[in-house]
Amino acid sequence: MVVEALIKEKVEVIFGYPGGAVLPLYDALFDADIKHIMPRHEQGGIHAADGYARATGKPGVCIATSGPGATNLVTGIANAYMDSVPVVAITGQVPVPLIGTDAFQEADITGITLPITKHNYLVKDVKDLPGMIKEAFYVSVTGRPGPVLVDIPRDVFVQEANFEYPERIDMRSYRPTYTGHGGQINRALRVIREAKKPVICTGGGVVGSGAQEELLKIAEMAQIPVTSTLMGLGGFPGGHPLSLGMLGMHGTVCANYAVTESDLFIGIGMRFDDRVTGKLDSFAPEAKVIHIDIDPAEIGKNIAVNVPIVGDIKRILGQMLKKLKKGDTREWVSQVDEWKRLYPLGYEYSEEELKPQYVIEQICKITGGDAVIATDVGQHQMWTAQYFTFNKARSLISSGGLGTMGYGFPAAIGAQIGRPGETVFCIAGDGSIQMNSQELATAVGNQLPIKVAIINNQYLGMVRQWQELFFKRRYSSTFLEQGPDFVKLAEAYGAAGIRVTKPGEVVPALQQAMEIKDRPVFIDFQVASEENVFPMVAPASPINQIIGGGKE
Amino acid sequence: MKHVLAVIVENRPGVLTRVAGLFSRRGFNIDSIAVGETEDSELSRMTILVEGDENVIEQVIKQLNKLIDVVKISNLTNESTVNRELVLIKVKAEPAARAELQQLAETFRAKIVDVSLDSIIVEVTGDDEKIKAFELLLRHFGIQELVRTGKISMMRGVKYIKINGEGGKSG
């Protein structure tokens, strides 16, 4: 019955790991016309489902058994929740009569995931099953998307009932707003017309809503510079003259200056996270704020908003485009260009030492920027955001809100399965790749040609950087001298392994990797060990006080 | 400032946990909460007293609205309302003190609902002030136990909470 429901939902692929409580489901899947990918750890499974969802825009589906199977999903669920990714997790549960008795492999997974799911269900009666699965998918993908968990006891899987799958769904307690309020849109348009120094900031919502074309038109018509959060990269072409690059802690100097000096800040599908705003009091202090988001609870949560517009971004920007009149921003755009020219991103290239930024630049070059890039979390993630030019939506797949190390590689697996013909890179650190390197078996088993670029500096680099800057270089537990030989590790699983130690070897290694079409490849880039990510704004500081960039 | 919210929720298992969990993880303080079925058996109504300024209450309401099982939220703080709370108080009552207690109870329109050799249980309903005053007086006799239901609240006059009316859920 579950399988029938999944077919009704047009699920093409499931990332799942079997176990006692889901045995009946796996028996049904054995003959079903749905692709099933088995990870080597449930966390890998849910991250893959998450990566699949981000790469394709379709909901990612994963399955785990009761108890430890379900609890192994927890990090992945929290990750999807923080970044508003539509994931449906189906977990097995002990039989209904045993619930609450501390039975073997029992865990109260609906209780555990209460704060990290958009909603969750415990199906105690098979009659409720079709309706609950329908609702789960509906809730997960509509409004502000998010993970939904459906917990199904073992005996419910085998109970029989008439399968009536609801065609439509109407929940009196859940009705997202899609169309923007006309009055607010008019106010926003007036404010935009009057603004002399406007800035747009794109968040993950622009990508999620598929609003990149509308946004591009608005920015070009009204001549407004565009910055972005990490999650919003690709929502506006990074190579566009109006693009300022990323905002915030590791954002560009020009983006941080522009926002600080702006008289109008237009936040679109972003949630004013502390990594973006820095010290709230000094964030865009002179600016009026227009905030467009599908989730009314995000509006006014962290900063006061002058013009709130709740609804679907694509639709709202479409509504705005009809009546948009531009103001005069010529002076402002040339000021912003001046900052761009004065304070570009940069690093000291070296012939001796391999610089991580150089590696990212070469990946960008060899792919022509036309690739799906999944990242882990840390320095390499920030260098990727800075030195890879993301021109297309859904080309960056990265753990933004939760900052989950170990996310990148399984997410790349999900992305490659969702977009089979395309080039998929995973850019990882030597620390984070080890958090889910077991998924090499999954990637090899499914002949996925993922290119894993390990930025190996033998440190937990971002933590080390903070220790250097804020803890007197006391490198407590951040040195990874025991790191494995990544080439041998890859080969042990049947994947390819390449080692790169000098700048001259980077391009040939990447070319070699691009030629491999039938298995994953690990490229161990042994980079300068104490390179830092700059520019940087210290936590809780104003974003125009920048370390390693800007005015001294 | 104290706010009174009437929250209509689906009458399903786990809804109270969802609401209570939301308050604790977002750092909102519940002063009291009273829950029961409504005229429609599929719906429950929670009356929640919450402390906080306007911004906090706005966030409380918006976050509550995001819970899938929450159908409607009404802020009754600035409405003209009838507010009631029921309190049971077990007071020491030597035979000599009983007459005086009886009189006090009558004054407050409280009822003596149980009598034993050396104590009685008094039931009193009313608003905050009345209950506070009554409790203060009974302290002189010695309160052994006190239990309260939490406040419930309803708008006066022609206004009432319509499930599908204005202020229903969006987003």
Side-chain angles (χ1 to χ4, degrees), chain A residues 140-293:
Chain A
S140 178
V141 301
T142 53
R144 177 179 182 171
V148 175
L149 180 136
V150 186
D151 196 24
I152 307 175
R154 191 183 199 279
D155 49 340
V156 172
F157 282 120
V158 292
Q159 282 165 13
E160 294 195 2
N162 276 336
F163 180 76
E164 281 173 36
Y165 204 66
E167 287 297 315
R168 288 190 64 247
I169 213 152
D170 181 37
M171 297 162 70
R172 62 178 165 189
S173 59
Y174 175 70
R175 286 188 184 130
T177 306
Y178 292 108
T179 305
H181 187 276
Q184 296 291 27
I185 286 176
N186 288 340
R187 277 179 64 200
L189 290 169
R190 195 170 63 234
V191 175
I192 290 172
R193 196 172 61 237
E194 285 163 4
K196 295 273 174 281
K197 299 188 281 182
V199 178
I200 290 175
C201 179
T202 63
V206 172
V207 177
S209 161
Q212 51 276 3
E213 277 174 36
E214 288 82 357
L215 178 70
L216 180 63
K217 279 186 196 156
I218 286 189
E220 283 182 343
M221 267 174 76
Q223 284 296 303
I224 304 176
V226 180
T227 179
S228 176
T229 68
L230 176 70
M231 299 300 300
L233 290 175
F236 186 80
H240 194 281
L242 284 168
S243 171
L244 304 175
M246 190 169 69
L247 175 67
M249 182 173 279
H250 291 297
T252 61
V253 174
C254 71
N256 286 345
Y257 279 5
V259 167
T260 306
E261 297 282 314
S262 66
D263 67 353
L264 174 62
F265 183 88
I266 309 168
I268 308 180
M270 50 95 67
R271 57 188 177 83
F272 296 90
D273 180 78
D274 56 283
R275 287 294 191 262
V276 164
T277 62
K279 191 176 178 217
L280 275 173
D281 298 340
S282 20
F283 180 78
E286 306 299 325
K288 288 187 176 165
V289 175
I290 299 174
H291 190 185
I292 306 174
D293 203 284

Side-chain angles (χ1 to χ4, degrees), chain A residues 455-496:
Chain A
I455 307 299
N456 181 357
N457 55 13
Q458 287 205 299
Y459 276 108
L460 296 176
M462 187 59 94
V463 185
R464 186 208 56 74
Q465 176 171 343
W466 285 50
Q467 287 172 336
E468 177 185 334
L469 297 173
F470 309 120
F471 291 90
K472 301 178 185 156
R473 286 180 174 262
R474 289 156 52 85
Y475 293 162
S476 179
S477 298
T478 43
F479 186 39
L480 297 175
E481 64 179 328
Q482 301 303 330
D485 179 329
F486 288 110
V487 173
K488 280 190 184 155
L489 179 70
E491 286 168 356
Y493 279 97

Side-chain angles (χ1 to χ4, degrees), chain A residues 81 110 114-115 117-121 135 139 144 171-177 294-301 310, chain B residues 10 12 14 17-18 21 25-26 40 42-43 55 58-59 62-63 65-71 163-164 169-171:
Chain A
Y81 186 68
T110 47
L114 210 66
T117 46
K118 186 170 171 189
H119 197 49
N120 61 27
Y121 299 86
E135 256 187 49
V139 168
R144 177 179 182 171
M171 297 162 70
R172 62 178 165 189
S173 59
Y174 175 70
R175 286 188 184 130
T177 306
I294 193 141
D295 181 359
E298 284 305 334
I299 287 170
K301 187 180 78 175
V310 174
Chain B
E10 297 286 352
R12 283 186 195 141
T17 321
R18 289 180 199 275
R25 75 173 170 272
R26 297 233 175 229
D40 176 348
E42 286 184 0
L43 295 173
N55 287 337
E58 192 186 324
Q59 264 297 305
K62 283 175 167 176
Q63 293 294 345
N65 249 323
K66 280 177 74 171
L67 294 179
I68 304 291
D69 284 335
V70 170
V71 178
I163 300 307
N164 293 315
K169 283 199 37 168
S170 58

